[in-house]
Amino acid sequence: MRAAVPALLSALYTVGALVSVRADLFGPGETAILLCLLFIAVRDGPPRWAVACGLLDLVALLATPVRYSHSLSGTEGGEALGFMVVGLALAGLVAGLAAYLRSLDYRRTVAVADTRREERVAIAADLHDFVAHHVTGILVQTQVARMMADTRPRELDPVLAGIERAATEALASMRRTVGVLRDTGEEADRRPVGDLAGIAGLTEGFFSPIQKATLHHDPAVPDDLPYEVQAAAFRVVQKALTNVRRHAAYAAEVTVQVRYDAGHLCVSVTDDGRGGTQLPAAAHGGGFGLIGLKERVTALGGDLYAGPRAGVGWEVRAVF
């Protein structure tokens, strides 16, 4: 509207000059104003109004020479036609620049929307990994508690404490993630990601009366590794421990290793299980976890191996 009203007044003034058959002058000031209005209309106007306001500004600009000549024939008409050609060229340059800047804004908006969507998908994947890890632990420890209820009831407290801790961590992960996903404009906690230091917590939380995990952390591992690499290494250990609970219920020893050699970070999880599971069918997973994990690792230039060991058991190994 701010670009249309001045242009409409200019056009009405031109019509008035033609109707009264008087010669009214026009100058560079009005031309500059109309060009600025054309730029604003094309650059910032709503899509439905940008074309209409732009055309109105263009018509008002090209009509200004007619005030002086009242005709496009003769000497004065030739001058007016020349002014119109120059005005049309200037209008084309201004409109083209405004349209280009508008297209940059649109591409930037689309890029931001795509980035936000991809980030939300990544956040959802992180939430799935955390909740699946903790809920699987709750299922396994609940089964252990049921078995111990009749035979060793006095040893139930550590198992129940583990269930409580896993449930609390799962709820905290969901609360943090929902806080990030909500468009409240408020500061929210960071999404639940991990690093190399968090691997120790994963290993300790894996302990149960029938399974235990041992962590071997190489002191040579630098503390300033890229954040993305540390987060991916954390995910490898988390997913591997979750799969041990899901698919290797009879594994008694699980070994987690974090090594650094010749500029390569190697993270591995091995178990001595022979397969088998005691979890309900709905808790087995869809089989896409390792695929997503491989994509995460290879995106950072690493390599992931998941398969049987030379002797007994299974191994998940990632090298960055």
Side-chain angles (χ1 to χ4, degrees):
M1 186 62 68
R2 60 182 177 177
V5 172
L8 181 60
L9 294 177
S10 176
L12 291 177
Y13 184 79
T14 301
V15 172
L18 292 176
V19 172
S20 61
V21 195
R22 68 175 185 271
D24 289 333
L25 298 179
F26 64 96
E30 183 179 359
T31 301
I33 292 175
L34 290 174
L35 288 174
C36 290
L37 294 176
L38 175 63
F39 179 87
I40 293 173
V42 177
R43 174 76 166 79
D44 300 324
R48 294 183 178 181
W49 286 95
V51 176
C53 293
L55 289 177
L56 181 59
D57 291 326
L58 179 62
V59 170
L61 174 65
L62 297 181
T64 52
V66 182
R67 303 177 191 169
Y68 176 71
S69 63
H70 296 88
S71 175
L72 297 180
S73 59
T75 303
E76 294 180 353
E79 293 177 357
L81 186 60
F83 282 123
M84 294 177 67
V85 172
V86 173
L88 183 61
L90 291 175
L93 291 175
V94 171
L97 176 61
Y100 173 71
L101 295 177
R102 188 185 184 102
S103 67
L104 289 182
D105 290 342
Y106 175 76
R107 288 199 292 267
R108 186 180 301 111
T109 301
V110 172
V112 169
D114 290 342
T115 301
R116 290 187 62 188
R117 183 165 52 252
E118 292 173 0
E119 183 65 13
R120 285 169 180 257
V121 171
I123 291 173
D126 289 346
L127 177 62
H128 171 271
D129 291 343
F130 270 85
V131 173
H133 177 78
H134 294 311
V135 172
T136 302
I138 292 172
L139 281 173
V140 172
Q141 294 183 81
T142 302
Q143 291 177 337
V144 173
R146 292 181 64 185
M147 291 187 296
M148 296 175 61
D150 298 329
T151 58
R152 292 179 291 173
R154 296 182 180 180
E155 300 179 12
L156 277 177
D157 188 66
V159 179
L160 296 177
I163 294 175
E164 180 183 9
R165 182 174 60 253
T168 302
E169 292 177 356
L171 289 174
S173 297
M174 287 189 290
R175 183 172 59 251
R176 288 194 298 266
T177 305
V178 171
V180 173
L181 292 176
R182 291 180 60 190
D183 294 324
T184 60
E186 302 175 356
E187 290 291 332
D189 294 338
R190 295 182 60 184
R191 60 185 171 126
V193 294
D195 52 16
L196 292 182
I199 293 178
L202 287 177
T203 307
E204 294 173 1
F206 184 81
F207 174 82
S208 71
I210 60 175
Q211 290 180 325
K212 68 176 183 178
T214 305
L215 172 63
H216 299 284
H217 194 288
D218 186 359
V221 177
D223 296 330
D224 58 347
L225 290 175
Y227 168 76
E228 294 80 4
V229 173
Q230 295 193 47
F234 180 89
R235 287 287 182 270
V236 170
V237 176
Q238 183 185 58
K239 186 63 182 177
L241 292 178
T242 302
N243 284 346
V244 170
R245 281 175 167 162
R246 284 178 171 173
H247 308 295
Y250 302 108
E253 293 285 342
V254 179
T255 303
V256 180
Q257 291 187 341
V258 181
R259 304 191 311 273
Y260 190 79
D261 183 29
H264 292 77
L265 175 68
C266 180
V267 180
S268 65
V269 178
T270 58
D271 65 75
D272 60 353
R274 297 178 179 271
T277 179
Q278 298 175 349
L279 297 182
H284 290 174
F288 300 105
L290 288 177
I291 296 176
L293 196 61
K294 186 174 182 63
E295 292 177 353
R296 181 190 289 267
V297 173
T298 55
L300 296 173
D303 186 37
L304 180 72
Y305 167 80
R309 299 170 61 191
V312 177
W314 192 268
E315 178 181 13
V316 177
R317 182 179 66 252
V319 180
F320 300 91

